[in-house]
Amino acid sequence: MTLLGVDVGTTGCKAAVVGLEGSVQATAYREYPLATPRPGWAELDPDGVWDAVCAAIRAVTTAVAEPPRALAFATLGEAVTPIDASGAALAPMIVSFDGRAGACYEEMVAAVGVERLTAVCGMAPQPHYSVAKWRWIVREMPDTYRRAALLACFGDLCAVRLGLPPVIDHTMATRTLAFDAADHCWSPEILDAAGVDAGKLPTPAPTGTVVDAVAAPQARDLGLADGALLVTGGLDQACAAHGVGIAGDGSAMLSLGTVAVLAAVTGTDSPGATAVPTVPYVQPMKRLAIAGTPAGGAVLRWWRDQFAAAEVPAPGGAGAEGEFYDRIVAAAADVETDLIALPHFAGSRTAFADPEARAAVVGLTFATERRHIVRALLEGVALETAVMAERLAAAGAPVTSLRAAGGGSRSAVWMQIFADVLGIPVDSTASADAAAVGAAMIAGAATGMVADDHRSLPVVMRCEPEDSLRGRYRSTLERYRALHGALVSGRDSDLPRRARGEGSEAT
């Protein structure tokens, strides 16, 4: 028998067929474009994403002898799509780091209060959570909101398109900032402040809940077994942590895909009141603290698109693109640079809690080469992660080692940078399959096909920190903090001037 896990991310999706013993039998990846129709906006075409998901599933189910008997989805957090009763999208999907709902977020905070939002939801409010996007749809797209049967995150959208009821797992519900973490239900108080009808939201259920059998036409189309069961999966990072075996022993997951995430298990099922967001974990009586930044592999994709577009290989799957990234990272392997890169292309989340932060590369001279900039970007993501690790430690989840997954975990160069910057060992699975594998094993455990203590992805590479670099990177980290602080001070002092329209090209 086999299981299916699907990891739906911001720029692509991965499907994996997994054997009951945890072996990965087949994988497939499909990419899709991220649209930025206005400054600060970021959208996906829900139909394009669903087509990619279906194509990836068909690719893996046709490659194995036994069709999967159970499946679960690991999905990008906070993204919102209004859909009608048939599952048809009524508007583009608003993704996590879309900034259009900032004013709506401020209204929510003013109406409910930071302390109350934190007490109800178990985490400090931030503007990227789904409830602000819901409020924006209510206010700016009233006809769409009226027609919508569901304000869907992508996991429950998938359930509807598989012919099943919309069910959202607790990890994803938590990331909306409208879920009562103690009572495990939507908060009437927060929904009232957002102007959202609870009838337009999916039904919450714990991760690992069997939803139902996939409708027969969809199962045949996707190559699933007759009666294949859909199980609630979870937030992609929670599924990935399960896939690499994070269990609360001081080891944290480093997920390095489009975004970069540190995730560590806390020893209580109580949401608490910490600045680091937590979600219910797969393990009973545990929560997963998740520190994240939009700046992961996305910084290399930006560099590729802006400075090396002519060098990108012709479309041919993830392999060719991976080889391109390997080349540009390898060129920066032995580089030493005084450049400091703040990778805040879409703000800073856990590290500085500064959604208005902007990226910068400081220290450029006429002697600067492309490889120096690449090195600075790689180090910048690691430096941001080092600050995130400090936040985790302050929240009661100290990090003593990392277990890495995601596309970036295949890079020995980048893994060594993380080890040196954070001063701790990094064990890499060198796999982009962790979230999909974790989702598959959740499905297997929920249906009784596998034991809860499943085998995690194996470690294939270990990077120990270089003692000789400890002092250098400690100094670099202080410069990194100071640079962010200087840019914040400059931004704040410029506010009155910009408010008057001085120093701006706008007329």
Side-chain angles (χ1 to χ4, degrees):
M1 292 189 290
T2 63
L3 308 163
L4 174 67
V6 184
D7 174 19
V8 185
T10 306
T11 57
C13 62
K14 166 89 66 170
V17 172
V18 179
L20 300 188
E21 78 291 354
S23 64
V24 179
Q25 299 187 4
T27 64
Y29 175 81
R30 295 293 185 273
E31 189 172 295
Y32 31 80
L34 180 70
T36 53
R38 299 186 192 179
W41 288 31
E43 300 177 345
L44 290 171
D45 172 13
D47 295 326
V49 176
W50 178 246
D51 288 345
V53 167
C54 292
I57 293 175
R58 294 188 194 102
V60 293
T61 56
T62 56
V64 297
E66 293 187 66
R69 295 186 174 275
L71 70 153
F73 289 87
T75 58
L76 67 164
E78 298 95 49
V80 174
T81 308
I83 63 175
D84 66 18
S86 70
L90 302 176
M93 180 190 301
I94 306 173
V95 304
S96 177
F97 52 83
D98 181 287
R100 76 186 69 180
C104 294
Y105 165 76
E106 296 295 342
E107 291 174 1
M108 292 287 303
V109 170
V112 183
V114 171
E115 292 184 1
R116 181 60 181 161
L117 283 166
T118 304
V120 172
C121 302
M123 57 186 184
Q126 292 193 35
H128 64 279
Y129 293 132
S130 306
V131 68
K133 299 173 175 61
W134 296 345
R135 176 61 185 161
W136 186 89
I137 292 171
V138 169
R139 193 174 73 178
E140 302 296 331
M141 303 175 69
D143 290 341
T144 298
Y145 174 74
R146 177 181 50 79
R147 293 166 53 206
L150 184 71
L151 299 177
C153 291
F154 205 76
D156 32 295
L157 187 153
C158 290
V160 172
R161 294 201 171 182
L162 291 173
L164 301 177
V167 179
I168 187 170
D169 75 277
H170 285 177
T171 67
M172 289 293 292
T174 298
R175 299 289 290 197
T176 66
L177 200 68
F179 186 67
D180 189 314
D183 293 338
H184 299 139
C185 63
W186 298 118
S187 166
E189 176 185 5
I190 296 174
L191 295 186
D192 181 64
V196 172
D197 179 358
K200 292 182 181 286
L201 300 179
T203 302
T207 292
T209 298
V210 177
V211 179
D212 206 340
V214 175
Q218 286 91 326
R220 286 193 298 270
D221 175 55
L222 296 175
L224 306 175
D226 291 340
L229 296 172
L230 175 67
V231 174
T232 54
L235 180 70
D236 48 8
Q237 307 302 345
C239 291
H242 185 56
V244 300
I246 299 302
D249 56 357
S251 179
M253 177 191 68
L254 168 63
S255 176
L256 194 54
T258 301
V259 303
V261 169
L262 286 184
V265 173
T266 62
T268 174
D269 65 342
S270 172
T274 172
V276 180
T278 67
V279 297
Y281 194 40
V282 175
Q283 298 174 357
M285 308 298 288
K286 301 281 188 178
R287 290 183 73 86
L288 191 71
I290 302 175
T293 170
V299 301
L300 292 182
R301 185 169 180 172
W302 167 81
W303 187 91
R304 177 200 73 178
D305 292 345
Q306 302 305 322
F307 304 111
E311 302 169 32
V312 178
E321 184 169 338
E323 292 173 3
F324 168 77
Y325 286 127
D326 289 344
R327 289 197 304 273
I328 65 171
V329 172
D334 298 322
V335 170
E336 288 191 18
T337 180
D338 288 330
L339 295 180
I340 295 285
L342 293 179
H344 300 152
F345 291 85
S348 176
R349 290 189 183 168
T350 309
F352 297 105
D354 183 6
E356 300 301 319
R358 291 295 177 262
V361 179
V362 175
L364 295 167
T365 72
F366 285 124
T368 301
E369 302 174 18
R370 295 198 320 171
R371 62 196 181 113
H372 297 135
I373 298 175
V374 171
R375 179 77 187 199
L377 290 170
L378 298 174
E379 291 183 352
V381 175
L383 290 162
E384 183 84 355
T385 305
V387 181
M388 288 157 45
E390 293 174 354
R391 302 288 184 262
L392 281 173
V399 177
T400 58
S401 65
L402 296 179
R403 182 163 290 194
S409 72
R410 292 192 291 255
S411 170
V413 174
W414 212 352
M415 292 300 95
Q416 188 62 52
I417 289 173
F418 274 96
D420 293 336
V421 169
L422 276 75
I424 57 177
V426 177
D427 292 323
S428 176
T429 65
S431 173
D433 304 333
V437 170
M441 301 312 289
I442 288 169
T447 54
M449 297 184 196
V450 300
D452 287 336
D453 56 344
H454 73 282
R455 286 172 50 194
S456 58
L457 285 168
V459 172
V460 300
M461 173 173 54
R462 185 175 178 87
C463 296
E464 295 279 359
E466 294 283 348
D467 289 340
S468 62
L469 296 176
R470 184 168 299 177
R472 175 192 163 199
Y473 277 122
R474 188 179 295 117
S475 174
T476 303
L477 182 58
E478 292 309 310
R479 291 173 58 209
Y480 183 82
R481 296 183 208 276
L483 177 57
H484 172 262
L487 292 182
V488 170
S489 297
R491 185 178 74 210
D492 291 345
S493 66
D494 192 40
L495 282 174
R497 184 166 166 261
R498 284 186 282 149
R500 295 192 302 268
E502 298 173 19
S504 171
E505 294 178 359
T507 58

